[in-house]
Amino acid sequence: MKINYKEKSTVEIINFYNSKNISVNNIDKIYVGFKVFLFLKMYYLKIKTNEGEVLSFKFDKKNKDRIKKDVSKIRAIINWEKRLINN
């Protein structure tokens, strides 16, 4: 799984099964979550949009640290965009 920040404030999420382009202005919340099934932890990237749509992408434990770093970068971009719009 990869998260790419593209031009024009667009985030591209490339998963094994599909890819999705999302505008940064359209993202309300983005976070990494997990579910426990028996002894296994399954990690998910959850994105809640302003329209109320919830997108979920499953990824492996070995990619967890890299995905968390990418999510923190995207959060910083979202906060920066909101500050520019409010001023």
Side-chain angles (χ1 to χ4, degrees):
M1 184 169 158
K2 289 184 180 180
I3 300 175
N4 298 326
Y5 181 72
K6 295 178 131 188
E7 294 178 13
K8 300 181 183 176
S9 300
T10 304
V11 176
E12 180 183 28
I13 300 170
I14 303 170
N15 200 356
F16 180 72
Y17 303 107
N18 57 2
S19 66
K20 184 85 173 174
N21 291 330
I22 303 168
S23 172
V24 173
N25 297 331
N26 197 18
I27 296 175
D28 186 30
K29 293 182 182 178
I30 182 169
Y31 59 94
V32 174
F34 66 92
K35 291 184 180 178
V36 177
F37 180 72
L38 294 177
F39 297 106
L40 303 173
K41 278 188 180 178
M42 295 183 280
Y43 292 93
Y44 293 92
L45 173 67
K46 299 271 189 167
I47 300 173
K48 185 177 178 185
T49 62
N50 291 334
E51 288 91 30
E53 182 181 10
V54 177
L55 304 170
S56 179
F57 299 94
K58 185 178 175 182
F59 62 92
D60 297 329
K61 182 179 179 178
K62 64 182 178 181
N63 296 329
K64 181 180 77 167
D65 293 331
R66 186 175 48 82
I67 297 293
K68 281 188 172 185
K69 287 179 186 176
D70 292 342
V71 167
S72 64
K73 289 178 188 176
I74 293 171
R75 282 184 184 154
I77 292 169
I78 290 171
N79 289 337
W80 184 253
E81 294 267 337
K82 286 182 181 178
R83 280 191 182 169
L84 288 176
I85 290 172
N86 289 337
N87 288 334

